[in-house]
Amino acid sequence: MAAVLLAVAGYGFWQAGEEADAYEQRAARLAPATAEVTKVHEADDGAFVLTLDVGDRIGTRTVETLYPEDFPVGSRVDVLVDGDWVRLLAEPYDSVGWELLMMAATVLGLAFLANGVDGRSRAERLRRGPLPVLRVLVREGHADARTWVYAADDPAGERPLLHFHSLFATPGDEDDDEDEPDEDAAAEGLQRMSAILKGEDPPPPLREAVLYGVPCAGAELAFVAREDEDDPEASVECSVTAVKPAVPRLLTGRDPGAEPGRESSPQSGEAPGQGPATPVAARMAPTVAPRVYTAHGMSRTVGLVLLLVQGAGIWAAVSDGPSWRWLFLLLTVPWLVNAVSTALNWRITADRRGLWVTGAWRVRRIPWDAVTGVRHTEDRIVIRGEEGERTALSPTGWAWLERRLGREPHAVRTADEVRALVHDPDLRPWEEASAGQQGMPLGPALVAVSVLWGAAVLLLG
């Protein structure tokens, strides 16, 4: 694939060069002429066409242009004329299509090449010499084709350690004299397929396996295991994607191998000492200073991207003066300001008396006794209070992408730890938060910056 794409990139480069060379050779034997623009119109195919008066000796000619605003009626332009062939000196030739093809094919080709070289080098390291060998348990993911690796002393499969996609090292040899397929086996296969489609099939069983390679993120691994208990021979499978550490509820929203219909996601209304707060609280210790959870990493990246979108939208709508596009600004900019301010600057501070929640426009104080639940859903942290009150922070990152990168989402961890503090008063900090720790909303400042940016674009445009 890399070779094909790089060949396409080379062909695009050659065609762009041929077009430039052909123009240079033709222009070298022609003298520029000055013409007057008499008409500018749009052709049926969407191209803009200039009608030029080149003089009595040559007459009237037409030529396409990419920038009609640069050639108003009555202006004079320099052109090259060779019979019916006409080119503007300002726009000698158009090789943008070939250049875009070359750039796209080069980027994709280099990406495939780098991926292939990396995969080949990893595979060579796996086969080059002695490797660590571990006895483990493996299971095929219920909702996807991942291979999940568990410790050998985890027969219940409660805590996956690694995951990756794998394929058999060598395809099985098919016997030419194979017997006719068993009708019972075919019926069993149809029943299993029907159960999978209905979500009623049982989770795949754990299998004993021997793992070869260094069990770390990005490594290349191989393992030997039987496909099922009745299989007399073991088979070898190799990882075909990078090995990643297991993250709870990766993509599917439930643990690998969990029974269909039984989600592992926490519910926010659980009693103290029960549910998801217990394992989180087990790895937390009481602190004297307040606990501060704030935006970082992925959340701020999302905020910066939205800020660029906001700035570009204001520039596009305001640069040409008052128009109907200003209505679009009134509808979108308030939402963007709220989202950018939250993504860049959200903060939850837990102290002795309760929570300080910093959103886009204000800092809200919520006493511990008033908090009834904390949850993370759809990149939003929601804190429920008494009488149905809700305090929401959104967006707080991009949990889906963080899980794909093999990381535990920061906002999810924040919600889990805050929920643990709500359920277990012994874990709460002993001191009260200072003014600096409580945070400051970013919304008002971002509104001022947006207004100044719009005014600058309007005045300088």
Side-chain angles (χ1 to χ4, degrees):
M1 184 62 71
V4 170
L5 289 170
L6 292 177
V8 170
Y11 179 74
F13 177 79
W14 175 69
Q15 285 292 337
E18 285 287 308
E19 190 166 332
D21 291 342
Y23 170 81
E24 294 294 341
Q25 293 175 6
R26 197 166 195 173
R29 55 185 176 82
L30 297 175
T34 301
E36 181 181 355
V37 179
T38 59
K39 183 180 179 181
V40 180
H41 68 281
E42 186 176 357
D44 294 338
D45 58 357
F48 290 96
V49 179
L50 303 179
T51 302
L52 306 176
D53 182 5
V54 193
D56 296 338
R57 187 170 60 87
I58 300 178
T60 302
R61 293 288 188 274
T62 59
V63 63
E64 293 185 358
T65 178
L66 296 176
Y67 306 98
E69 64 275 6
D70 293 341
F71 309 103
V73 174
S75 62
R76 302 188 70 81
V77 297
D78 294 329
V79 296
L80 292 174
V81 182
D82 185 11
D84 294 333
W85 183 87
V86 183
R87 290 292 185 273
L88 297 170
L89 283 181
E91 300 178 19
Y93 53 86
D94 181 16
S95 59
V96 174
W98 293 114
E99 291 170 354
L100 289 176
L101 175 65
M102 178 186 67
M103 292 175 59
T106 300
V107 171
L108 291 175
L110 291 177
F112 273 100
L113 180 62
N115 184 66
V117 171
D118 180 67
R120 180 63 60 88
S121 62
R122 291 177 187 274
E124 289 298 326
R125 286 198 297 269
L126 182 64
R127 295 163 174 80
R128 188 175 298 145
L131 296 170
V133 181
L134 293 174
R135 186 166 60 89
V136 296
L137 299 174
V138 296
R139 166 188 280 161
E140 183 179 347
H142 183 274
D144 51 35
R146 288 186 184 86
T147 296
W148 296 82
V149 180
Y150 301 80
D153 58 355
D154 185 14
E158 297 178 349
R159 186 179 180 182
L161 303 177
L162 303 169
H163 68 88
F164 51 86
H165 288 89
S166 63
L167 291 176
F168 290 102
T170 55
D173 297 330
E174 296 185 3
D175 189 356
D176 295 336
D177 299 329
E178 185 179 1
D179 297 334
E180 293 295 326
D182 188 358
E183 295 183 359
D184 294 337
E188 182 180 352
L190 290 175
Q191 292 177 358
R192 176 170 173 77
M193 181 62 68
S194 175
I196 291 175
L197 295 176
K198 296 178 181 178
E200 300 173 352
D201 59 315
L206 283 170
R207 298 179 290 157
E208 293 184 347
V210 178
L211 188 72
Y212 293 82
V214 181
C216 63
E220 184 90 6
L221 299 177
F223 65 91
V224 180
R226 291 186 175 90
E227 292 189 54
D228 54 57
E229 295 180 354
D230 299 330
D231 193 346
E233 297 183 358
S235 57
V236 180
E237 296 186 42
C238 295
S239 60
V240 293
T241 59
V243 175
K244 295 182 180 180
V247 176
R249 303 172 59 238
L250 176 66
L251 297 181
T252 60
R254 61 187 181 192
D255 291 335
E259 295 182 12
R262 295 186 60 183
E263 299 288 336
S264 61
S265 58
Q267 303 298 323
S268 57
E270 292 160 349
Q274 298 178 357
T278 300
V280 176
R283 62 173 185 258
M284 297 175 63
T287 60
V288 175
R291 293 179 180 267
V292 179
Y293 306 94
T294 186
H296 84 305
M298 187 62 68
S299 180
R300 288 177 177 165
T301 300
V302 171
L304 289 175
V305 171
L306 293 177
L307 182 61
L308 292 176
V309 172
Q310 176 185 330
I314 293 175
W315 177 83
V318 175
S319 59
D320 294 334
S323 67
W324 63 269
R325 286 178 292 187
W326 287 30
L327 178 61
F328 177 75
L329 283 183
L330 295 177
L331 297 176
T332 59
V333 169
W335 177 85
L336 282 171
V337 169
N338 185 82
V340 170
S341 302
T342 303
L344 291 176
N345 194 55
W346 67 266
R347 177 183 294 230
I348 299 176
T349 303
D351 65 7
R352 181 167 61 90
R353 295 188 178 182
L355 299 174
W356 295 93
V357 182
T358 302
W361 307 105
R362 64 169 179 163
V363 180
R364 184 172 182 179
R365 176 67 160 171
I366 307 178
W368 289 117
D369 294 341
V371 181
T372 60
V374 181
R375 62 179 303 194
H376 176 276
T377 176
E378 297 179 354
D379 294 319
R380 174 195 303 256
I381 296 178
V382 180
I383 302 175
R384 292 210 304 260
E386 296 176 338
E387 299 179 358
E389 294 184 0
R390 290 161 52 96
T391 302
L393 299 173
S394 175
T396 55
W398 194 357
W400 178 85
L401 182 57
E402 290 183 84
R403 291 189 178 107
R404 288 296 299 265
L405 296 175
R407 305 171 185 170
E408 182 181 4
H410 175 66
V412 174
R413 184 169 64 252
T414 296
D416 290 342
E417 293 192 6
V418 172
R419 187 186 309 114
L421 295 176
V422 172
H423 292 170
D424 191 347
D426 294 336
L427 295 176
R428 298 171 187 172
W430 298 349
E431 295 181 354
E432 294 189 16
S434 63
Q437 292 172 322
Q438 295 169 14
M440 179 178 296
L442 188 62
L446 190 57
V447 169
V449 171
S450 301
V451 172
L452 292 175
W453 169 244
V457 172
L458 183 62
L459 294 175
L460 300 177

